Amino acid sequence: MAEVATSPRRSRITPEREAELYEAVLDLLREVGYDGLTMDAVATRTRSSKATLYRQWGGKAELVARALRHNKPVSAADIDTGSLRGDLLQMVSRQDDCKMEQDQALMRGLFHAIHGNPELHQAMRQLLIEPEITGLNELLRRAVARGEIAADHPALEYVIHMLVGGFVAREIVEERLPDQEFLQRYLKAVVLPALGL
Amino acid sequence: MAEVATSPRRSRITPEREAELYEAVLDLLREVGYDGLTMDAVATRTRSSKATLYRQWGGKAELVARALRHNKPVSAADIDTGSLRGDLLQMVSRQDDCKMEQDQALMRGLFHAIHGNPELHQAMRQLLIEPEITGLNELLRRAVARGEIAADHPALEYVIHMLVGGFVAREIVEERLPDQEFLQRYLKAVVLPALGL
């Protein structure tokens, strides 16, 4: 399978038009889900031609992954508060709870759509997951460089696993989505102590 | 929605026959997935009547959840090594890696099937998830009673979240399923230090 380019194929569309298009894709995703979303519907909703959509984004999987990336308020790579504790707290405080809940419903639908859809899986991986992992690793690397934590601290390679646990397990245990208050308590009770902070 | 009874409706089938039936259900699940599984196929494969299956298990969701529960080698409620560290290590060492990989593929399929299927969701919750949470809480309660950990230790309520992170995040990060060696390292690097053990 071909690599997905890290930015959309260059063209004459403006950033404003691109943002408008991504918003329309997210609205459609919320309305009909990934499997129900068609390029025809995106073309109609955005008054674009399907040919333009395919030329610009290659296909539905890439278009959807880019729309989701556009929707992220800030990525791990952009966080740099000067301390590891501050960086991690900011990672879980990026959104208001209402938006967070909407986005979690959207993401849950997509993670189910990934099952049995290798094209969507690859696009999500390259455009959403890998940049976040890279950003988090960079943030940890800076903490090591500042001397906040030893380079060989055993919990360092599991920060992402701990965070994933915080994001997904509350629904299993309590049938409630995590909110900011929960994530901050979890960070202080689990992630920071495991890192010795 | 009606509560699911904690044991199958009583009848004259023997435990051997019940085990044989659950094995057949798991084989079918691996072959065709939850959505593809029909009570007709279970009846044919096990030479039962559909009427018997419905009378005994109520329906497909409950039959599948009971088959999965039967497949669990040991539940958290049965673990009691005498120390919290020992109990937690045993929790992640219950299966050989080959069986664990098979079971993870099976469970992943089911967690996707749950999406949009409230009946399966309820059966899985009552017959698989809640007994494990109860068992884990019991194991933690004993550790508190033994004085191994303070009753108000802030990480105590997040043990399950940490464990879920260990089980699900490796695939996101490394595209590999967790094996025993990984889970033990994770436990020692994250869960035990967060609990101050």
Side-chain angles (χ1 to χ4, degrees):
Chain A
M1 194 176 293
E3 284 278 300
V4 174
T6 49
S7 63
R9 287 146 191 79
R10 272 305 98 218
S11 75
R12 283 141 296 180
I13 70 164
T14 63
E16 291 72 24
R17 175 72 179 137
E18 197 178 333
E20 191 183 293
L21 213 136
Y22 290 148
E23 288 301 331
V25 170
L26 295 174
D27 286 343
L28 277 167
L29 270 179
R30 292 192 185 96
E31 291 163 28
V32 298
Y34 184 80
D35 291 331
L37 182 95
T38 63
M39 292 297 260
D40 274 316
V42 176
T44 305
R45 180 76 61 102
T46 59
R47 294 177 303 278
S48 319
S49 78
K50 260 170 70 175
T52 304
L53 296 178
Y54 278 106
R55 192 170 55 242
Q56 193 80 21
W57 284 278
K60 173 171 143 178
E62 191 181 338
L63 175 57
V64 164
R66 284 197 195 282
L68 290 166
R69 181 173 178 169
H70 169 79
N71 187 47
K72 286 181 72 66
V74 61
S75 83
D78 301 324
I79 295 173
D80 191 2
T81 65
S83 79
L84 180 51
R85 182 188 171 88
D87 286 357
L88 291 172
L89 278 165
Q90 195 170 320
M91 271 201 85
V92 302
S93 315
R94 285 181 277 175
Q95 296 192 324
D96 65 79
D97 284 339
C98 175
K99 176 127 178 23
M100 192 155 118
E101 199 164 314
Q102 285 175 359
D103 287 353
Q104 284 171 336
L106 194 64
M107 290 308 286
R108 184 169 345 103
L110 279 157
F111 278 105
H112 285 286
I114 277 181
H115 193 62
N117 187 332
E119 203 182 358
L120 178 62
H121 189 168
Q122 198 206 17
M124 296 276 283
R125 210 177 159 77
Q126 282 187 246
L127 295 170
L128 282 168
I129 299 171
E130 283 172 7
E132 279 301 293
I133 295 176
T134 305
L136 178 63
N137 285 339
E138 176 56 25
L139 176 162
L140 296 172
R141 199 198 54 70
R142 286 195 309 263
V144 170
R146 282 191 301 259
E148 283 188 78
I149 186 164
D152 62 352
H153 192 290
L156 213 44
E157 62 179 303
Y158 301 119
V159 172
I160 196 157
H161 304 73
M162 293 188 259
L163 291 174
V164 168
F167 275 99
V168 306
R170 191 186 205 192
E171 205 178 352
I172 299 172
V173 180
E174 299 179 61
E175 297 197 290
R176 288 176 63 190
L177 290 172
D179 51 28
Q180 293 236 1
E181 197 265 325
F182 171 85
L183 289 172
Q184 290 191 15
R185 270 191 292 129
Y186 178 77
L187 201 75
K188 288 170 188 168
V190 166
V191 185
L192 300 178
L195 290 167
L197 294 175
Chain B
M1 194 176 294
E3 284 277 300
V4 174
T6 50
S7 63
R9 287 145 191 81
R10 269 310 97 217
S11 76
R12 286 140 296 183
I13 71 163
T14 63
E16 293 71 25
R17 176 68 180 138
E18 196 178 333
E20 192 183 293
L21 213 136
Y22 290 147
E23 288 302 329
V25 170
L26 295 175
D27 286 344
L28 276 167
L29 271 179
R30 291 193 184 96
E31 291 163 28
V32 300
Y34 183 80
D35 291 329
L37 182 95
T38 63
M39 292 298 259
D40 274 315
V42 176
T44 305
R45 179 77 61 103
T46 60
R47 295 178 303 278
S48 319
S49 77
K50 260 171 69 176
T52 304
L53 295 178
Y54 278 107
R55 194 171 53 243
Q56 193 79 24
W57 284 278
K60 173 170 142 178
E62 192 181 338
L63 176 57
V64 164
R66 284 197 195 283
L68 290 166
R69 181 174 177 169
H70 169 81
N71 186 48
K72 286 183 72 66
V74 62
S75 83
D78 301 325
I79 296 173
D80 190 3
T81 66
S83 78
L84 180 52
R85 182 188 170 88
D87 286 356
L88 291 172
L89 278 164
Q90 195 170 319
M91 271 201 85
V92 302
S93 314
R94 286 182 277 176
Q95 296 192 324
D96 65 78
D97 284 339
C98 176
K99 174 123 180 26
M100 191 155 119
E101 199 163 314
Q102 284 175 1
D103 288 353
Q104 285 172 334
L106 194 63
M107 291 308 287
R108 183 167 346 103
L110 279 157
F111 278 105
H112 285 287
I114 278 179
H115 194 61
N117 187 330
E119 202 182 358
L120 178 63
H121 189 168
Q122 198 205 18
M124 296 277 283
R125 201 164 172 87
Q126 283 189 244
L127 296 170
L128 283 167
I129 298 171
E130 283 172 6
E132 281 299 295
I133 294 176
T134 305
L136 178 64
N137 285 338
E138 177 55 25
L139 175 163
L140 296 172
R141 199 198 52 72
R142 287 196 308 265
V144 170
R146 280 191 304 259
E148 284 187 76
I149 186 165
D152 61 351
H153 192 289
L156 213 45
E157 63 178 303
Y158 302 118
V159 172
I160 196 157
H161 304 72
M162 291 187 259
L163 291 173
V164 168
F167 275 99
V168 306
R170 192 186 204 192
E171 205 178 351
I172 299 171
V173 180
E174 298 179 61
E175 297 196 291
R176 289 175 64 190
L177 290 171
D179 50 28
Q180 294 237 0
E181 196 264 326
F182 170 86
L183 289 172
Q184 290 191 15
R185 268 191 291 128
Y186 179 76
L187 201 75
K188 289 171 188 169
V190 167
V191 185
L192 300 178
L195 290 166
L197 296 175

